[in-house]
Amino acid sequence: MDARIPSSNTESPWLPFESRRRARDEKREAVLRAAVQLFLEQGYHRATLNDVAKRLNITKPALYNYFRGKDEILFECWSIGHELVDECIAETSASAGSGLDKLRKLTIRYAELMTTDYGKSLVRFDLRDLSEHNRKTVQTAKRRIDRAFRDYIASGIADGSVKPCDPKLAAFAIAGSLNWIGHWFQPGGELTGRAVAEEFAIRLTDGIAKTTTREKAGKPPRKGNASREDGSEHHTRAAAGAAGQSKRSRGRLR
């Protein structure tokens, strides 16, 4: 009887568990990227799973290996966006600086996120398209974002870097302006997402700052129409655009 032990060099026809899971995760992420792009381009209700499958060059039934339906994909896009914002808040809170410094850091990070597909998903889709449970989850996440802006403003008032003001109203004004970036920003334009973010951070926080950016730089305050003449050209374009428009995902979205 031949009792030879199979050679240890023989390769298994099955991928190791970690490799299989990684491959599945990558395919799932590809579905999400294609779906969020289509939802933004066509609108959530007009885009279909057939459209998603066609863009990925797979069959519609193959999508059900990763998601049970379109609403689940929508919630996952929202979840990724909120996870990225949570990371921004955590990193900002852990950093040094005054309340104003942290407010500006979060403003830059949040504004830049609004120029990405997953950031846009936070403000372009309707909560009513989610199940009641998922809708409550998203609403809780939105409150965390609002609370972070309010807390940094209140901290700035306490440490003297921010003028006395109503943190709630100031937070609404800043976050509301930032959210509109997700409606009008288009990649490939004259301004990068980072440039827009940095410009908005200055414009939206100088009004409540004890010392403005220009004063820190030793520049005299603007008078009369000088603000229009002295403003940078790309700020003018960004402001016009804004006025005309009213821990799973970390590495995979870059």
Side-chain angles (χ1 to χ4, degrees), residues 98-232:
S98 65
L100 179 64
D101 291 333
K102 292 185 177 183
L103 176 63
R104 282 182 170 156
K105 286 178 184 177
L106 179 58
T107 300
I108 290 173
R109 295 289 304 278
Y110 189 84
E112 193 168 15
L113 181 59
M114 283 297 111
T115 67
T116 69
D117 287 345
Y118 288 108
K120 293 176 182 179
S121 73
L122 298 178
V123 296
R124 294 268 294 273
F125 303 141
D126 194 333
L127 282 175
R128 291 172 294 183
D129 290 320
L130 296 176
S131 67
E132 182 178 358
H133 172 75
N134 288 344
R135 186 164 57 248
K136 289 180 178 179
T137 299
V138 172
Q139 289 170 334
T140 298
K142 285 179 176 290
R143 286 193 289 270
R144 287 200 306 271
I145 298 171
D146 174 61
R147 175 52 57 189
F149 279 103
R150 292 195 206 186
D151 286 349
Y152 295 146
I153 293 169
S155 176
I157 294 171
D159 64 31
S161 59
V162 172
K163 298 174 185 176
C165 63
D166 184 329
K168 178 180 178 179
L169 292 180
F172 282 170
I174 292 172
S177 297
L178 297 178
N179 285 341
W180 274 109
I181 295 174
H183 290 270
W184 59 258
F185 180 85
Q186 294 296 327
E190 296 181 26
L191 294 177
T192 65
R194 182 70 180 187
V196 169
E198 291 177 346
E199 186 73 7
F200 266 64
I202 293 172
R203 304 304 170 189
L204 292 175
T205 61
D206 262 6
I208 62 173
K210 268 288 182 64
T211 303
T212 69
T213 305
R214 289 181 62 81
E215 289 170 341
K216 284 185 178 180
K219 297 178 181 180
R222 293 169 176 165
K223 296 181 181 179
N225 292 328
S227 59
R228 297 180 186 174
E229 298 166 0
D230 193 35
S232 67

